[in-house]
Amino acid sequence: MHPTAPTPTTPTPGAAPRGRKADTQARILDAAIALFGARGYGATSIAAIAERAGVSRAAIFWHFTDKGTLFEEAFRAMLVPFVDELKRTIENAAPRERIFELFDVYEDFVSTHRAKIESIVRWVFESGELRARLERPLLVLVDRFVRDLHGSLADVCDADEDASALAAALASALHGNLVLSLLDPSAERRAQRAAGLAAADGAHARQAGARMSEAAAAAVLAKSHAENFPVALRLLPRAQRGDLLAIYGFARLADDLGDEAPGDRLAALDALEAELERAFRGSATHPLLRRLAPVLRARALPRQPFLDLIEANRRDQRVQRYESFDALLGYCALSANPVGRLVLHVFGAESPARAALSDAICSALQVVEHCQDVAEDAARGRVYLPADDLARCGCGEAELVKAPASDALRAVVALQVERARALLARGEPLLAELRGSARLAVAGF
């Protein structure tokens, strides 16, 4: 995988001529970006960069001290086009158009600079040292982007809404959950997921999860706010926002029963299905299902996506391994795709063609989540990485919980990432078909 040629850093016509020092630095950076991207950090020598830039090795060390510093400065140079485009967008767009303009800028940037972004992901896998060097300039960009978003949101948010928190959440969505989690490979995400927001206390779960306190229901909804899908909800009209939160609350509840409930989890999931049927009849007793019931009626939501979410968690109790990627996609059809289809229903945008595009996006995101949670899932006795890929790459299951990750495991994960990227590309036309709030909700996936 080779990146596109770097953008020339020669001055534009009419610009003041650069000094000799700046010209030498620019040539070195151009050469470094190209070679680091094509070969990786470890396989790129200072001698090769010097030859490509037409300078001596001594000149590189004089300008950049060492190879690590050169790498970091080359990465900063790669971010310049994004920073400049963001600045132009913020300055020129009207307040209420600014958010959608920012989405467009991000999408265009990712499309134009896809090869460079792929290089960044490969560097992240290469070593912990590179992760640290990437993190510093990337966090500067994130901070800049969050400030720009905050300024835009402050102009359009209601008085009771926290523009700062919303800007941070939206920036996380736009920058990509995969790359950010790789840059910060700490246990923070796993700790959040296991932070004690169980679906019900032990007594309730042992009684098949049929009852839940209002406080526990609020905890489940709070947990749903931190997941991938709802990050853009606060930008949506209140009615749609509330309806989507009710759907996410149900999905979060089903996941918690399948992942964390003590006792007989299959019985708890059966009880949830019975309560879902009561919600469709308007007689639910569970706080989250009572909240969902009016949404089911107002949006004419179908039963099957909800049943599929429950079935995905039943499968988690019975199936711990997937032989192939096709088998894994069958699981994604139950665990992820239903949420995307329900979102389309809420916005009145559902059609067979759009559902297929949404399925591709949701399956891709589910595959990425499995890549993020390899060790956590393995600790639960579940392996979502396809067995045939593990065998082909020579990766044993014992390697799934070891740190740092082995070369064999990295190869398996890289294969899944490539497949997820292909699925995202397949689903990308969905954004072009949607407008306004519907597009924002799907982009917030």
Side-chain angles (χ1 to χ4, degrees):
M1 185 187 307
H2 295 279
T4 55
T7 303
T9 54
T10 52
T12 56
R18 287 191 308 217
R20 184 174 178 182
K21 177 180 177 181
D23 183 69
T24 300
Q25 287 179 338
R27 295 205 320 272
I28 294 171
L29 287 174
D30 284 347
I33 290 170
L35 292 178
F36 283 140
R39 302 178 182 179
Y41 180 82
T44 300
S45 67
I46 290 294
I49 295 173
E51 181 180 357
R52 185 181 181 103
V55 301
S56 67
R57 293 176 59 192
I60 292 179
F61 289 121
W62 190 84
H63 284 283
F64 295 100
T65 308
D66 56 36
K67 181 179 174 182
T69 301
L70 173 58
F71 176 83
E72 190 169 331
E73 291 304 315
F75 182 59
R76 292 181 196 276
M78 288 173 63
L79 298 179
V80 167
F82 198 13
V83 174
D84 291 345
E85 187 64 25
L86 287 174
K87 186 170 184 270
R88 287 193 294 271
T89 299
I90 290 295
E91 290 175 348
N92 297 331
R96 288 198 169 269
E97 295 299 321
R98 218 171 278 161
I99 299 301
F100 295 100
E101 292 277 355
L102 286 169
F103 270 99
D104 289 339
V105 168
Y106 179 78
E107 291 168 5
D108 290 345
F109 180 84
V110 169
S111 176
T112 302
H113 300 282
R114 184 177 299 277
K116 290 183 179 179
I117 294 170
E118 290 170 349
S119 295
I120 294 169
V121 173
R122 288 164 52 221
W123 292 332
V124 165
F125 276 114
E126 196 168 331
S127 76
E129 178 189 354
L130 293 193
R131 277 196 292 274
R133 288 189 177 275
L134 289 168
E135 185 177 21
R136 287 188 286 269
L138 185 57
L139 289 180
V140 170
L141 175 62
V142 171
D143 183 64
R144 164 67 185 274
F145 194 35
V146 170
R147 290 200 308 271
D148 289 344
L149 279 172
H150 178 267
S152 301
L153 292 168
D155 293 335
V156 298
C157 280
D158 295 337
D160 62 341
E161 294 180 319
D162 186 345
S164 297
L166 180 54
L170 191 54
S172 294
L174 288 172
H175 280 71
N177 206 20
L178 172 63
V179 174
L180 288 180
S181 65
L182 289 171
L183 286 173
D184 182 17
S186 67
E188 180 180 358
R189 173 176 164 79
R190 291 191 291 277
Q192 289 174 345
R193 288 171 65 91
L197 297 177
D201 62 28
H204 289 174
R206 282 191 292 273
Q207 296 175 24
R211 298 189 300 275
M212 177 186 276
S213 68
E214 293 288 348
V220 172
L221 283 175
K223 191 172 184 178
S224 74
H225 278 281
E227 294 296 322
N228 288 347
F229 284 117
V231 290
L233 286 184
R234 295 289 295 277
L235 289 173
L236 301 176
R238 289 184 183 275
Q240 292 169 338
R241 186 191 316 166
D243 292 352
L244 290 178
L245 278 174
I247 292 169
Y248 297 139
F250 176 89
R252 184 68 264 166
L253 172 60
D255 283 351
D256 281 354
L257 290 176
D259 287 345
E260 300 172 5
D264 189 342
R265 293 177 182 173
L266 287 172
L269 292 165
D270 289 344
L272 179 60
E273 182 174 343
E275 185 70 359
L276 175 66
E277 290 302 318
R278 286 190 284 274
F280 272 99
R281 297 196 300 268
S283 58
T285 59
H286 190 295
L288 290 176
L289 276 294
R290 289 203 307 270
R291 178 170 182 168
L292 179 64
V295 181
L296 300 176
R297 293 190 298 272
R299 302 291 184 183
L301 298 180
R303 277 180 172 78
Q304 195 58 49
F306 296 99
L307 295 174
D308 287 344
L309 292 171
I310 296 173
E311 186 57 33
N313 284 278
R314 288 195 182 106
R315 184 170 294 187
D316 279 336
Q317 314 312 309
R318 298 169 175 146
V319 180
Q320 281 74 48
R321 306 290 186 276
Y322 290 87
E323 287 300 316
S324 66
F325 190 70
D326 285 343
L328 181 63
L329 288 182
Y331 171 77
C332 294
L334 298 173
S335 64
N337 300 0
V339 177
R341 292 183 175 225
L342 289 168
V343 169
L344 292 177
H345 274 284
V346 166
F347 288 95
E350 202 278 337
S351 72
R354 287 174 177 165
L357 297 174
S358 173
D359 288 350
I361 294 172
C362 292
S363 289
L365 295 176
Q366 181 73 83
V367 170
V368 168
E369 184 169 355
H370 290 325
C371 291
Q372 293 172 326
D373 294 342
V374 169
E376 177 186 347
D377 291 331
R380 286 181 172 148
R382 300 174 188 166
V383 178
Y384 293 103
L385 298 177
D388 57 359
D389 293 333
L390 291 170
R392 187 178 304 116
C393 295
C395 181
E397 289 192 8
E399 296 177 59
L400 304 183
V401 294
K402 291 182 179 178
S406 67
D407 290 342
L409 177 55
R410 292 172 188 271
V412 176
V413 171
L415 177 58
Q416 312 316 311
V417 170
E418 288 298 322
R419 288 167 171 166
R421 183 181 289 115
L423 286 169
L424 287 172
R426 188 189 308 170
E428 190 173 0
L430 179 61
L431 286 176
E433 291 197 13
L434 301 176
R435 292 291 182 271
S437 298
R439 187 181 184 212
L440 182 59
V442 172
F445 279 15

